[in-house]
Amino acid sequence: MISSITNQSALDESRKYFPGGVNSPVRAFKAVGGVPPFIVSGKGPCITDVEGHHYVDYVGSWGPLILGHADKDIISAITSAAEKGTSFGAPTVAETQLAELIVKAFPAIEKMRFVSSGTEATMSAVRLARGYTNRTLILKFEGCYHGHADSLLVSAGSGVATLGIPDCPGVTPQTASCTISIPFNDFEAFDMAFKTHRGHIAAVILEPVCGNMGVVEPVEGFLKMIREKTLEDGSLLIFDEVMTGFRSCFGGVQTLACIEPDLTCLGKVVGGGLPLAVYGGKREIMNRIAPDGPVYQAGTLSGNPIAVAAGTAALKKLADNPDFYTNLLATTEKLSESLLKAGRNRGFDLTLNRSGSMFTLFFTKDQVRNFSDAKKSDTVKFAKWFRGMLSHGIYLPPSQFEAAFVSGTHKQEEIDRTIQAAEKTFDEIKAHTHS
Ligand code: HOZ
Protein backbone atom coordinates (compact mmCIF):
# COMPACT_ATOMS: atom_id res chain seq x y z
CA MET A 1 0.00 0.00 0.00
CA ILE A 2 2.79 2.40 0.97
CA SER A 3 4.61 1.95 -2.35
CA SER A 4 1.63 3.34 -4.29
CA ILE A 5 1.65 6.58 -2.29
CA THR A 6 3.91 9.42 -3.36
CA ASN A 7 4.71 12.55 -1.40
CA GLN A 8 2.66 14.51 -3.94
CA SER A 9 -0.38 12.23 -3.66
CA ALA A 10 -0.14 12.29 0.14
CA LEU A 11 -0.07 16.10 0.03
CA ASP A 12 -3.02 16.26 -2.37
CA GLU A 13 -5.06 14.09 0.00
CA SER A 14 -4.02 15.92 3.16
CA ARG A 15 -4.84 19.30 1.62
CA LYS A 16 -8.48 18.22 1.56
CA TYR A 17 -8.51 18.11 5.34
CA PHE A 18 -5.78 20.39 6.69
CA PRO A 19 -4.87 24.01 5.86
CA GLY A 20 -1.75 23.72 3.69
CA GLY A 21 -2.04 19.96 4.09
CA VAL A 22 -0.24 20.19 7.44
CA ASN A 23 -0.82 20.54 11.16
CA SER A 24 1.79 23.24 11.77
CA PRO A 25 2.54 25.87 9.11
CA VAL A 26 6.30 25.59 8.50
CA ARG A 27 5.90 21.93 7.53
CA ALA A 28 4.15 22.98 4.31
CA PHE A 29 7.46 24.18 2.75
CA LYS A 30 5.85 27.46 1.62
CA ALA A 31 9.08 29.43 2.04
CA VAL A 32 11.29 26.96 0.23
CA GLY A 33 8.97 25.46 -2.36
CA GLY A 34 8.57 21.83 -3.33
CA VAL A 35 6.59 19.00 -1.82
CA PRO A 36 7.24 18.06 1.80
CA PRO A 37 8.23 14.43 2.29
CA PHE A 38 5.55 12.51 4.18
CA ILE A 39 7.40 10.59 6.85
CA VAL A 40 6.71 6.97 7.67
CA SER A 41 9.50 6.20 10.12
CA GLY A 42 12.65 7.37 11.83
CA LYS A 43 15.58 5.59 13.42
CA GLY A 44 18.55 7.30 15.04
CA PRO A 45 19.60 10.27 12.85
CA CYS A 46 17.55 9.25 9.80
CA ILE A 47 13.96 9.42 8.57
CA THR A 48 12.23 7.66 5.67
CA ASP A 49 9.41 9.00 3.54
CA VAL A 50 6.45 7.29 1.82
CA GLU A 51 8.51 6.92 -1.37
CA GLY A 52 11.25 5.07 0.49
CA HIS A 53 13.80 7.92 0.43
CA HIS A 54 16.09 8.08 3.44
CA TYR A 55 17.23 11.44 4.81
CA VAL A 56 19.73 12.50 7.44
CA ASP A 57 17.44 14.49 9.70
CA TYR A 58 18.46 17.85 11.18
CA VAL A 59 14.94 18.84 12.25
CA GLY A 60 14.65 16.17 14.94
CA SER A 61 10.97 16.98 15.39
CA TRP A 62 12.04 20.64 15.86
CA GLY A 63 14.33 19.92 18.77
CA PRO A 64 13.02 17.20 21.08
CA LEU A 65 14.98 14.30 19.58
CA ILE A 66 18.39 14.92 21.08
CA LEU A 67 18.72 11.14 21.41
CA GLY A 68 17.64 10.52 17.81
CA HIS A 69 14.54 8.76 16.52
CA ALA A 70 13.03 5.74 18.26
CA ASP A 71 15.59 5.58 21.06
CA LYS A 72 15.26 2.08 22.53
CA ASP A 73 15.12 3.19 26.17
CA ILE A 74 12.46 5.80 25.46
CA ILE A 75 10.42 3.32 23.44
CA SER A 76 10.55 0.76 26.20
CA ALA A 77 9.54 3.38 28.82
CA ILE A 78 6.62 4.43 26.60
CA THR A 79 5.55 0.83 26.05
CA SER A 80 5.53 -0.14 29.69
CA ALA A 81 3.72 3.08 30.67
CA ALA A 82 1.08 2.55 27.98
CA GLU A 83 0.45 -0.99 29.18
CA LYS A 84 -0.54 0.42 32.56
CA GLY A 85 -2.99 2.95 31.14
CA THR A 86 -2.74 5.93 28.83
CA SER A 87 -4.26 8.75 30.87
CA PHE A 88 -5.79 9.15 34.30
CA GLY A 89 -6.44 12.86 34.81
CA ALA A 90 -5.22 12.22 38.35
CA PRO A 91 -1.83 12.57 40.02
CA THR A 92 0.85 9.88 39.63
CA VAL A 93 4.12 9.26 41.48
CA ALA A 94 5.96 9.33 38.14
CA GLU A 95 5.21 13.07 37.79
CA THR A 96 6.99 13.78 41.08
CA GLN A 97 9.96 11.68 39.98
CA LEU A 98 10.29 13.67 36.76
CA ALA A 99 9.95 16.92 38.73
CA GLU A 100 12.85 15.83 40.95
CA LEU A 101 15.06 15.37 37.90
CA ILE A 102 14.08 18.78 36.54
CA VAL A 103 14.79 20.57 39.83
CA LYS A 104 18.24 18.97 39.99
CA ALA A 105 19.05 20.32 36.54
CA PHE A 106 17.35 23.71 37.04
CA PRO A 107 17.77 24.94 40.61
CA ALA A 108 15.84 28.11 39.66
CA ILE A 109 12.76 25.91 39.27
CA GLU A 110 11.59 25.25 42.81
CA LYS A 111 8.03 24.41 41.88
CA MET A 112 6.48 23.68 38.52
CA ARG A 113 3.42 22.72 36.55
CA PHE A 114 3.38 20.21 33.69
CA VAL A 115 1.47 21.14 30.53
CA SER A 116 1.33 19.63 27.04
CA SER A 117 3.07 22.17 24.77
CA GLY A 118 5.54 25.02 24.80
CA THR A 119 2.73 27.40 23.87
CA GLU A 120 0.81 26.41 26.99
CA ALA A 121 3.93 26.84 29.12
CA THR A 122 4.74 30.38 27.94
CA MET A 123 1.10 31.49 27.86
CA SER A 124 0.63 30.31 31.45
CA ALA A 125 3.91 31.84 32.61
CA VAL A 126 2.83 35.20 31.19
CA ARG A 127 -0.56 34.98 32.91
CA LEU A 128 1.18 34.08 36.17
CA ALA A 129 3.61 36.98 35.83
CA ARG A 130 0.71 39.38 35.34
CA GLY A 131 -1.23 37.83 38.22
CA TYR A 132 1.77 37.95 40.52
CA THR A 133 2.94 41.49 39.76
CA ASN A 134 -0.46 43.03 39.15
CA ARG A 135 1.00 44.65 36.05
CA THR A 136 -0.09 44.41 32.42
CA LEU A 137 2.79 44.88 30.00
CA ILE A 138 4.98 42.14 28.60
CA LEU A 139 8.31 42.89 26.95
CA LYS A 140 9.54 40.49 24.27
CA PHE A 141 12.13 40.60 21.51
CA GLU A 142 11.56 40.85 17.76
CA GLY A 143 12.04 37.47 16.12
CA CYS A 144 11.71 35.55 19.38
CA TYR A 145 8.91 33.02 19.18
CA HIS A 146 7.13 31.83 22.29
CA GLY A 147 4.33 29.78 20.79
CA HIS A 148 1.07 31.03 19.40
CA ALA A 149 -0.75 32.58 22.38
CA ASP A 150 -2.29 35.94 21.37
CA SER A 151 -0.12 38.18 23.51
CA LEU A 152 3.08 36.55 22.24
CA LEU A 153 2.37 36.63 18.51
CA VAL A 154 3.70 40.17 18.23
CA SER A 155 6.80 40.50 15.97
CA ALA A 156 7.26 36.77 16.33
CA GLY A 157 9.82 34.49 14.71
CA SER A 158 9.50 30.89 13.49
CA GLY A 159 6.54 30.29 11.14
CA VAL A 160 5.29 33.85 11.59
CA ALA A 161 8.60 35.15 10.25
CA THR A 162 8.80 32.42 7.62
CA LEU A 163 5.42 33.36 6.19
CA GLY A 164 6.03 37.10 6.68
CA ILE A 165 2.94 37.71 8.83
CA PRO A 166 3.64 41.01 10.64
CA ASP A 167 0.42 41.16 12.64
CA CYS A 168 -1.77 38.14 13.05
CA PRO A 169 -5.45 38.73 12.32
CA GLY A 170 -7.49 37.57 15.30
CA VAL A 171 -5.13 39.09 17.84
CA THR A 172 -7.03 42.15 19.02
CA PRO A 173 -5.23 45.51 19.01
CA GLN A 174 -5.95 45.74 22.74
CA THR A 175 -4.09 42.49 23.36
CA ALA A 176 -1.21 43.39 21.04
CA SER A 177 -0.83 46.81 22.68
CA CYS A 178 0.07 45.12 25.96
CA THR A 179 3.16 43.55 24.37
CA ILE A 180 6.22 45.69 23.79
CA SER A 181 8.65 44.31 21.27
CA ILE A 182 12.24 45.50 20.88
CA PRO A 183 15.33 44.28 19.00
CA PHE A 184 17.35 41.46 20.59
CA ASN A 185 20.83 42.37 21.82
CA ASP A 186 19.91 46.08 21.92
CA PHE A 187 20.93 47.52 25.30
CA GLU A 188 19.66 51.01 24.50
CA ALA A 189 16.22 49.90 23.35
CA PHE A 190 15.89 47.86 26.52
CA ASP A 191 16.90 50.74 28.71
CA MET A 192 14.48 53.04 26.90
CA ALA A 193 11.59 50.57 27.26
CA PHE A 194 12.17 50.34 31.00
CA LYS A 195 12.46 54.11 31.34
CA THR A 196 9.23 54.64 29.42
CA HIS A 197 7.23 51.92 31.18
CA ARG A 198 8.81 51.88 34.64
CA GLY A 199 6.64 49.99 37.11
CA HIS A 200 4.28 48.66 34.43
CA ILE A 201 6.16 45.75 32.90
CA ALA A 202 4.95 42.47 34.38
CA ALA A 203 7.62 40.37 32.69
CA VAL A 204 10.39 40.22 30.16
CA ILE A 205 10.22 36.98 28.19
CA LEU A 206 13.01 35.79 25.95
CA GLU A 207 14.75 32.81 24.45
CA PRO A 208 18.12 33.30 26.16
CA VAL A 209 19.61 31.81 23.01
CA CYS A 210 17.24 32.44 20.13
CA GLY A 211 16.33 29.60 17.83
CA ASN A 212 13.29 31.00 16.07
CA MET A 213 14.91 33.74 13.96
CA GLY A 214 17.58 31.21 13.18
CA VAL A 215 20.14 30.76 15.93
CA VAL A 216 21.24 34.02 17.59
CA GLU A 217 23.23 34.14 20.80
CA PRO A 218 23.05 37.01 23.28
CA VAL A 219 26.06 39.33 23.19
CA GLU A 220 28.32 39.59 26.22
CA GLY A 221 26.49 41.11 29.18
CA PHE A 222 23.04 41.24 27.59
CA LEU A 223 21.37 38.60 29.78
CA LYS A 224 23.04 39.99 32.90
CA MET A 225 21.82 43.49 32.10
CA ILE A 226 18.26 42.19 31.64
CA ARG A 227 18.41 40.34 34.96
CA GLU A 228 19.63 43.45 36.77
CA LYS A 229 17.05 45.80 35.25
CA THR A 230 14.12 43.44 35.86
CA LEU A 231 15.11 42.99 39.50
CA GLU A 232 15.50 46.73 39.92
CA ASP A 233 12.06 47.40 38.47
CA GLY A 234 10.21 44.50 40.11
CA SER A 235 9.26 42.83 36.85
CA LEU A 236 9.73 39.10 36.36
CA LEU A 237 12.24 37.50 34.06
CA ILE A 238 10.92 34.53 32.06
CA PHE A 239 13.42 32.35 30.23
CA ASP A 240 11.78 30.46 27.41
CA GLU A 241 14.09 27.46 27.32
CA VAL A 242 11.66 25.29 25.38
CA MET A 243 14.38 24.78 22.74
CA THR A 244 17.50 25.14 24.84
CA GLY A 245 16.32 23.53 28.11
CA PHE A 246 18.02 20.16 28.07
CA ARG A 247 19.82 20.87 24.79
CA SER A 248 22.54 23.45 25.46
CA CYS A 249 23.49 21.48 28.56
CA PHE A 250 21.63 19.55 31.24
CA GLY A 251 20.60 22.80 32.95
CA GLY A 252 19.94 25.01 29.92
CA VAL A 253 21.34 28.42 29.03
CA GLN A 254 20.63 29.74 32.53
CA THR A 255 23.21 27.30 33.93
CA LEU A 256 25.82 28.22 31.33
CA ALA A 257 25.19 31.95 31.79
CA CYS A 258 24.81 31.77 35.60
CA ILE A 259 21.56 33.73 35.47
CA GLU A 260 18.59 32.84 37.62
CA PRO A 261 15.29 33.72 35.96
CA ASP A 262 12.10 34.00 38.00
CA LEU A 263 10.23 31.64 35.72
CA THR A 264 11.45 29.08 33.18
CA CYS A 265 9.55 27.37 30.37
CA LEU A 266 10.69 23.98 29.15
CA GLY A 267 9.45 21.75 26.36
CA LYS A 268 10.81 19.56 23.56
CA VAL A 269 13.66 17.45 25.09
CA VAL A 270 11.94 17.35 28.49
CA GLY A 271 9.14 15.28 26.93
CA GLY A 272 11.43 12.80 25.21
CA GLY A 273 9.57 13.34 21.92
CA LEU A 274 6.08 13.28 23.43
CA PRO A 275 3.83 16.25 24.22
CA LEU A 276 5.07 17.53 27.57
CA ALA A 277 6.17 20.99 28.63
CA VAL A 278 6.82 22.72 31.91
CA TYR A 279 6.64 26.14 33.47
CA GLY A 280 8.10 26.72 36.87
CA GLY A 281 10.22 28.93 39.04
CA LYS A 282 10.41 30.53 42.44
CA ARG A 283 8.16 28.83 45.00
CA GLU A 284 6.62 32.12 46.09
CA ILE A 285 5.57 32.91 42.51
CA MET A 286 4.36 29.39 41.67
CA ASN A 287 2.24 29.38 44.82
CA ARG A 288 -0.01 31.87 43.02
CA ILE A 289 -1.13 29.08 40.67
CA ALA A 290 -4.50 27.40 41.37
CA PRO A 291 -5.38 25.60 43.57
CA ASP A 292 -2.81 27.19 45.94
CA GLY A 293 -3.44 30.64 44.47
CA PRO A 294 -5.95 32.42 42.26
CA VAL A 295 -4.16 32.29 38.86
CA TYR A 296 -6.05 29.61 36.97
CA GLN A 297 -4.51 27.08 34.58
CA ALA A 298 -5.47 23.47 33.97
CA GLY A 299 -5.24 20.62 31.43
CA THR A 300 -6.84 17.21 30.91
CA LEU A 301 -3.66 15.64 29.54
CA SER A 302 -1.21 17.60 31.72
CA GLY A 303 1.31 15.21 33.27
CA ASN A 304 0.17 12.46 30.92
CA PRO A 305 1.78 9.19 32.12
CA ILE A 306 3.19 8.19 28.74
CA ALA A 307 4.74 11.60 28.12
CA VAL A 308 6.12 11.64 31.66
CA ALA A 309 7.64 8.18 31.13
CA ALA A 310 9.27 9.28 27.85
CA GLY A 311 10.61 12.49 29.40
CA THR A 312 11.97 10.66 32.43
CA ALA A 313 13.71 8.07 30.26
CA ALA A 314 15.28 10.81 28.11
CA LEU A 315 16.51 12.87 31.06
CA LYS A 316 17.90 9.83 32.88
CA LYS A 317 19.80 8.79 29.79
CA LEU A 318 21.27 12.28 29.38
CA ALA A 319 22.13 12.53 33.08
CA ASP A 320 23.85 9.13 33.03
CA ASN A 321 26.21 10.05 30.20
CA PRO A 322 28.61 12.78 31.36
CA ASP A 323 30.26 13.04 27.93
CA PHE A 324 27.04 13.37 25.97
CA TYR A 325 26.96 17.16 25.60
CA THR A 326 30.71 17.48 24.98
CA ASN A 327 30.51 14.94 22.15
CA LEU A 328 27.38 16.51 20.70
CA LEU A 329 29.02 19.91 20.69
CA ALA A 330 32.13 18.55 18.97
CA THR A 331 30.01 16.87 16.27
CA THR A 332 27.99 20.02 15.66
CA GLU A 333 31.11 22.17 15.53
CA LYS A 334 32.77 19.87 13.00
CA LEU A 335 29.68 19.65 10.84
CA SER A 336 28.74 23.32 10.84
CA GLU A 337 32.30 24.55 10.26
CA SER A 338 32.63 22.17 7.29
CA LEU A 339 29.37 23.41 5.81
CA LEU A 340 30.54 26.99 6.16
CA LYS A 341 33.87 26.16 4.57
CA ALA A 342 32.24 24.28 1.68
CA GLY A 343 30.09 27.32 0.86
CA ARG A 344 32.72 30.01 1.39
CA ASN A 345 35.28 28.12 -0.71
CA ARG A 346 32.78 28.31 -3.55
CA GLY A 347 32.31 32.04 -3.17
CA PHE A 348 29.07 32.15 -1.17
CA ASP A 349 28.51 34.92 1.36
CA LEU A 350 27.64 33.01 4.51
CA THR A 351 27.42 33.50 8.23
CA LEU A 352 27.18 30.57 10.58
CA ASN A 353 25.53 30.97 13.98
CA ARG A 354 25.92 28.01 16.29
CA SER A 355 25.03 27.48 19.88
CA GLY A 356 25.66 24.03 21.32
CA SER A 357 23.97 21.54 19.02
CA MET A 358 21.80 24.14 17.24
CA PHE A 359 22.98 26.01 14.16
CA THR A 360 21.78 28.19 11.28
CA LEU A 361 23.55 29.04 8.06
CA PHE A 362 22.55 32.54 6.94
CA PHE A 363 23.10 33.62 3.34
CA THR A 364 24.75 36.91 4.21
CA LYS A 365 28.33 37.83 5.00
CA ASP A 366 27.26 40.17 7.79
CA GLN A 367 26.93 39.26 11.44
CA VAL A 368 23.45 38.18 12.56
CA ARG A 369 22.72 39.49 16.04
CA ASN A 370 19.01 40.24 15.83
CA PHE A 371 15.93 39.77 13.66
CA SER A 372 16.67 42.65 11.25
CA ASP A 373 20.10 41.14 10.60
CA ALA A 374 18.51 37.71 10.03
CA LYS A 375 16.09 39.19 7.52
CA LYS A 376 19.02 40.44 5.43
CA SER A 377 19.83 36.83 4.55
CA ASP A 378 19.18 35.92 0.91
CA THR A 379 16.15 33.69 1.41
CA VAL A 380 15.97 32.83 -2.30
CA LYS A 381 19.45 31.31 -2.04
CA PHE A 382 18.45 29.66 1.21
CA ALA A 383 15.50 28.00 -0.56
CA LYS A 384 17.82 26.71 -3.32
CA TRP A 385 20.23 25.38 -0.72
CA PHE A 386 17.39 23.72 1.18
CA ARG A 387 15.97 22.03 -1.94
CA GLY A 388 19.39 20.91 -3.12
CA MET A 389 20.22 19.39 0.24
CA LEU A 390 16.86 17.62 0.34
CA SER A 391 17.43 16.17 -3.12
CA HIS A 392 20.74 14.78 -1.83
CA GLY A 393 19.10 13.17 1.19
CA ILE A 394 19.57 15.85 3.85
CA TYR A 395 16.48 17.06 5.70
CA LEU A 396 17.03 20.58 7.08
CA PRO A 397 14.47 22.95 8.64
CA PRO A 398 12.46 24.35 5.70
CA SER A 399 12.96 27.98 6.73
CA GLN A 400 15.78 30.45 7.16
CA PHE A 401 14.26 31.46 10.50
CA GLU A 402 14.69 28.16 12.31
CA ALA A 403 17.48 26.19 13.92
CA ALA A 404 18.93 22.91 12.68
CA PHE A 405 19.32 20.35 15.46
CA VAL A 406 22.02 17.69 15.78
CA SER A 407 21.43 14.58 17.89
CA GLY A 408 23.71 12.21 19.74
CA THR A 409 23.06 9.64 17.01
CA HIS A 410 24.61 11.74 14.23
CA LYS A 411 27.97 10.06 13.68
CA GLN A 412 30.86 10.48 11.27
CA GLU A 413 28.98 8.64 8.52
CA GLU A 414 26.07 11.12 8.61
CA ILE A 415 28.42 14.09 8.90
CA ASP A 416 30.39 12.94 5.84
CA ARG A 417 27.18 12.36 3.90
CA THR A 418 25.96 15.84 4.82
CA ILE A 419 29.20 17.56 3.82
CA GLN A 420 29.27 15.74 0.47
CA ALA A 421 25.66 16.78 -0.14
CA ALA A 422 26.55 20.38 0.76
CA GLU A 423 29.50 20.45 -1.66
CA LYS A 424 27.30 19.15 -4.47
CA THR A 425 24.49 21.57 -3.59
CA PHE A 426 26.75 24.63 -3.52
CA ASP A 427 28.27 23.56 -6.85
CA GLU A 428 24.82 23.13 -8.38
CA ILE A 429 23.56 26.51 -7.17
CA LYS A 430 26.69 28.13 -8.55
CA ALA A 431 26.44 26.36 -11.90
CA HIS A 432 22.80 27.31 -12.17
CA THR A 433 23.44 30.96 -11.25
CA HIS A 434 26.12 31.27 -13.92
CA SER A 435 24.34 29.37 -16.73
N1 HOZ B 1 7.26 26.24 15.70
C1 HOZ B 1 8.08 25.14 15.42
C2 HOZ B 1 9.45 25.54 15.05
N2 HOZ B 1 10.04 26.55 15.79
C3 HOZ B 1 7.53 24.30 14.30
C4 HOZ B 1 6.65 23.26 14.81
C5 HOZ B 1 6.28 22.20 13.80
O1 HOZ B 1 6.00 22.49 12.65
O2 HOZ B 1 6.23 21.06 14.19
Side-chain angles (χ1 to χ4, degrees):
M1 164 163 169
I2 282 193
S3 60
S4 66
I5 302 176
T6 62
N7 291 314
Q8 183 65 63
S9 71
L11 181 64
D12 294 341
E13 275 303 298
S14 69
R15 273 196 180 128
K16 293 181 190 162
Y17 306 104
F18 306 117
V22 292
N23 283 302
S24 193
V26 189
R27 300 178 194 177
F29 280 27
K30 288 271 188 224
V32 288
V35 176
F38 276 61
I39 308 303
V40 286
S41 65
K43 185 69 200 155
C46 293
I47 49 174
T48 303
D49 72 11
V50 290
E51 296 177 10
H53 300 124
H54 303 294
Y55 305 89
V56 180
D57 179 20
Y58 291 101
V59 175
S61 187
W62 301 92
L65 303 185
I66 198 164
L67 294 164
H69 290 272
D71 175 84
K72 66 174 182 9
D73 297 313
I74 298 180
I75 298 303
S76 104
I78 290 173
T79 312
S80 36
E83 277 164 359
K84 293 187 197 127
T86 57
S87 181
F88 308 117
T92 61
V93 173
E95 289 160 76
T96 309
Q97 288 165 348
L98 177 55
E100 279 165 5
L101 284 173
I102 293 170
V103 168
K104 269 197 197 128
F106 288 83
I109 303 182
E110 293 173 342
K111 247 182 172 178
M112 70 198 81
R113 170 71 45 93
F114 289 167
V115 289
S116 299
S117 72
T119 290
E120 263 189 274
T122 52
M123 178 187 79
S124 310
V126 162
R127 181 182 304 142
L128 173 59
R130 286 179 165 143
Y132 178 78
T133 58
N134 250 319
R135 298 177 181 185
T136 310
L137 299 177
I138 297 297
L139 190 145
K140 75 177 283 293
F141 294 91
E142 291 163 9
C144 275
Y145 177 75
H146 307 289
H148 59 89
D150 284 5
S151 63
L152 295 169
L153 271 185
V154 177
S155 307
S158 188
V160 181
T162 304
L163 299 171
I165 300 171
D167 301 297
C168 175
V171 175
T172 64
Q174 291 88 328
T175 300
S177 70
C178 293
T179 304
I180 306 158
S181 186
I182 61 168
F184 193 70
N185 276 331
D186 189 331
F187 289 74
E188 258 174 53
F190 192 86
D191 196 44
M192 185 54 78
F194 264 78
K195 278 197 179 114
T196 314
H197 303 287
R198 184 169 296 285
H200 295 284
I201 298 175
V204 173
I205 184 167
L206 75 156
E207 304 172 71
V209 165
C210 308
N212 286 291
M213 56 177 106
V215 173
V216 175
E217 286 198 327
V219 295
E220 185 70 38
F222 191 61
L223 297 179
K224 193 163 170 272
M225 179 278 294
I226 293 177
R227 180 63 286 190
E228 282 167 6
K229 284 239 151 62
T230 45
L231 279 173
E232 204 179 283
D233 190 61
S235 51
L236 300 190
L237 175 59
I238 307 173
F239 269 12
D240 174 350
E241 296 226 45
V242 168
M243 259 188 201
T244 52
F246 284 96
R247 181 163 278 279
S248 33
C249 75
F250 201 64
V253 176
Q254 54 194 267
T255 300
L256 297 174
C258 299
I259 307 268
E260 200 176 287
D262 300 297
L263 292 172
T264 299
C265 299
L266 301 173
K268 301 196 189 268
V269 175
V270 76
L274 265 71
L276 188 143
V278 180
Y279 69 97
K282 296 209 166 85
R283 184 169 289 109
E284 185 204 337
I285 303 172
M286 288 306 291
N287 284 344
R288 301 289 289 165
I289 289 290
D292 287 348
V295 178
Y296 198 75
Q297 182 274 316
T300 300
L301 290 172
S302 294
N304 173 265
I306 304 178
V308 166
T312 306
L315 297 198
K316 278 192 176 154
K317 199 158 176 169
L318 293 170
D320 287 350
N321 182 350
D323 296 331
F324 181 85
Y325 289 97
T326 319
N327 293 340
L328 185 58
L329 191 85
T331 306
T332 313
E333 210 162 36
K334 200 178 343 164
L335 167 70
S336 54
E337 290 301 329
S338 304
L339 294 179
L340 182 68
K341 198 164 141 214
R344 282 199 177 151
N345 283 349
R346 287 162 176 80
F348 285 82
D349 288 335
L350 294 171
T351 287
L352 172 83
N353 280 7
R354 182 182 58 75
S355 187
S357 55
M358 296 158 53
F359 71 90
T360 303
L361 203 56
F362 292 98
F363 284 77
T364 169
K365 62 178 181 337
D366 300 324
Q367 276 195 330
V368 178
R369 297 167 118 192
N370 59 32
F371 191 35
S372 328
D373 293 345
K375 284 195 284 191
K376 285 187 203 140
S377 179
D378 185 337
T379 50
V380 174
K381 274 213 182 105
F382 174 86
K384 286 182 188 162
W385 149 258
F386 170 85
R387 288 198 301 271
M389 290 297 274
L390 189 70
S391 74
H392 297 304
I394 310 297
Y395 188 78
L396 292 164
S399 164
Q400 177 67 88
F401 307 111
E402 297 285 358
F405 297 97
V406 181
S407 81
T409 59
H410 288 79
K411 302 292 180 207
Q412 196 58 47
E413 188 191 331
E414 287 76 34
I415 303 307
D416 290 344
R417 208 174 132 191
T418 309
I419 295 164
Q420 280 162 19
E423 289 171 345
K424 273 193 220 155
T425 302
F426 283 124
D427 284 340
E428 285 159 5
I429 301 175
K430 215 170 154 193
H432 200 252
T433 315
H434 295 298
S435 61

